[in-house]
Amino acid sequence: APFVLRALRIALVVCLYWFTSITMVFLNKYLLDSPSLRLDAPLFVTFFQCAMTAALCLGLSLGAACGPRCPSLPTLRLDPKVSRSVLPLSAVFIGMVTFNNLCLKHVGVAFYNVGRSLTTVFNVLLSYLLLKQTTSLYALLACGIIIGGFWLGVDQEGAEGTLSWTGIFFGILASLCVSLNAIYTKKVLPVVDGSIWHLTFYNNVNACVLFLPLMMMLGEFHTLYHFDKLGSPTFWGMMTLGGVFGFAIGYVTGLQIKFTSPLTHNVSGTAKACAQTVLAVIYFEETKSFLWWTSNLMVLGGSFAYTWVKGLEMRKVQEDPNLKSSERNETGV
């Protein structure tokens, strides 16, 4: 019975992650690029989600302080010194959420996964450049498959006349920022005593402050001023929903890693991307060529293979403690 319960709990967490992540992508696509909404303010959408996340963190923290003690919800207060230490990460974080949203604005949901598929490749590259860690041949081959899939995808989008170079450019930048984000998070976590909760709070507060001048520069306040649905409850309802899901995605990602493992989380993310692509093609009633689907399968297959190779390497390190420490480090990325 305990095994069944554990399996059920894991299944529930994975389903929750899938539901939150996929809903979030479709919601954001609507807010960023819906013909019925016609709002051209991607930074404002992202800023609003960061503000919501910071507010929800604070709200839950205050709720926990008034109610029964909850060790996983520490009391939050802004410390300018910590805020400054988190700044480099916040800059990367802003890049990550902004480029993600800009990529989604310019490409279809179906192609979105291929558009930002180079994260793994950047992980390998940055681990080498920043952390001087080498990667095994099999892991590099998996990266090769991902790059091949990415190129084929770009080629096929071009053949179908739906290619947005702007979207591709933002997708590549988003992949780079996701990878940098993982590296910087590890560096900055000790500043907040290893609390992801604190880090989320500081990151989003910093992001809100940094977004304001960016929105000014890109004329988004002007766009908002002339936006015809600014008084619409439906619009704000969708924005708030986007904010809640933006907050929830961080939490359910953490949950999934906690109840499974970082590797299982990667596999689940890969499978989720596959489901998301199929759902998008059905939902937007698109017809895609055989080669287009092949590009998706290459990206997903490459990501899965990379995760699998890394898993095997980690197991080998755990079984043989005398392995070089460099190998042990490398598998931790």
Side-chain angles (χ1 to χ4, degrees):
F3 171 73
V4 175
L5 275 173
R6 207 171 81 228
L8 270 172
R9 196 189 301 155
I10 287 175
L12 207 88
V13 167
V14 171
C15 286
L16 191 66
Y17 168 77
W18 278 44
F19 171 72
T20 310
S21 183
I22 293 176
T23 309
M24 169 107 187
V25 171
F26 278 92
L27 249 174
N28 275 349
K29 183 64 180 170
Y30 168 78
L31 289 169
L32 294 160
D33 188 39
S34 156
S36 61
L37 202 59
R38 294 197 311 281
L39 171 64
D40 187 22
L43 287 185
F44 170 68
V45 172
T46 318
F47 162 80
F48 187 82
Q49 288 175 353
C50 290
M52 281 277 301
T53 301
L56 283 166
C57 279
L58 200 58
L60 284 171
S61 160
L62 290 172
C66 304
R69 293 294 318 137
C70 175
S72 62
L73 290 180
T75 320
L76 293 175
R77 56 172 197 282
L78 260 183
D79 179 342
K81 208 166 88 210
V82 177
S83 200
R84 271 201 305 276
S85 311
V86 177
L87 254 184
L89 175 64
S90 300
V92 172
F93 171 75
I94 282 190
M96 180 175 81
V97 287
T98 307
F99 295 139
N100 256 335
N101 278 350
L102 284 169
C103 172
L104 184 58
K105 181 177 168 62
H106 290 281
V107 304
V109 176
F111 185 68
Y112 179 56
N113 179 51
V114 173
R116 344 186 330 277
S117 61
L118 296 179
T119 303
T120 308
V121 180
F122 281 121
N123 280 347
V124 169
L125 226 116
L126 293 172
S127 300
Y128 181 69
L129 293 174
L130 300 178
L131 311 169
K132 298 285 170 280
Q133 292 168 1
T134 50
T135 303
S136 68
L137 179 65
Y138 288 119
L140 288 175
L141 283 174
C143 288
I145 297 170
I146 295 173
I147 295 171
F150 176 77
W151 270 118
L152 182 60
V154 170
D155 174 68
Q156 286 307 300
E157 282 283 303
E160 293 188 4
T162 47
L163 178 67
S164 157
W165 278 111
T166 320
I168 299 292
F169 174 68
F170 286 131
I172 292 172
L173 285 177
S175 304
L176 174 63
C177 288
V178 169
S179 186
L180 278 170
N181 190 58
I183 290 174
Y184 273 101
T185 299
K186 270 188 184 162
K187 273 190 173 165
V188 173
L189 263 174
V191 178
V192 288
D193 303 324
S195 163
I196 291 281
W197 186 253
H198 269 114
L199 194 58
T200 304
F201 178 64
Y202 276 108
N203 237 344
N204 283 283
V205 168
N206 281 352
C208 287
V209 176
L210 293 170
F211 266 128
L212 292 169
L214 285 172
M215 283 156 64
M216 280 286 281
M217 277 172 6
L218 292 170
E220 288 202 2
F221 288 114
H222 180 75
T223 309
L224 283 168
Y225 183 72
H226 294 286
F227 179 55
D228 57 347
K229 294 189 182 60
L230 211 54
S232 150
T234 318
F235 167 67
W236 288 108
M238 290 300 263
M239 284 291 283
T240 307
L241 205 58
V244 170
F245 272 94
F247 170 75
I249 189 70
Y251 182 70
V252 294
T253 301
L255 261 188
Q256 177 164 273
I257 292 171
K258 184 178 155 188
F259 280 110
T260 59
S261 70
L263 284 174
T264 315
H265 167 66
N266 283 350
V267 174
S268 171
T270 305
K272 183 230 50 151
C274 184
Q276 184 175 293
T277 302
V278 175
L279 273 174
V281 170
I282 296 166
Y283 179 77
F284 294 108
E285 295 173 351
E286 298 168 335
T287 333
K288 300 293 185 187
S289 66
F290 172 71
L291 279 175
W292 187 92
W293 284 108
T294 308
S295 80
N296 265 278
L297 284 172
M298 281 173 75
V299 163
L300 293 167
S303 307
F304 180 76
Y306 180 84
T307 304
W308 190 60
V309 168
K310 283 287 181 194
L312 288 178
E313 287 172 6
M314 277 172 100
R315 196 169 306 145
K316 208 160 46 181
V317 169
Q318 280 158 1
E319 283 167 8
D320 184 1
N322 308 325
L323 269 173
K324 297 197 302 293
S325 63
S326 70
E327 277 186 42
R328 180 175 292 130
N329 278 342
E330 179 233 322
T331 45
V333 169

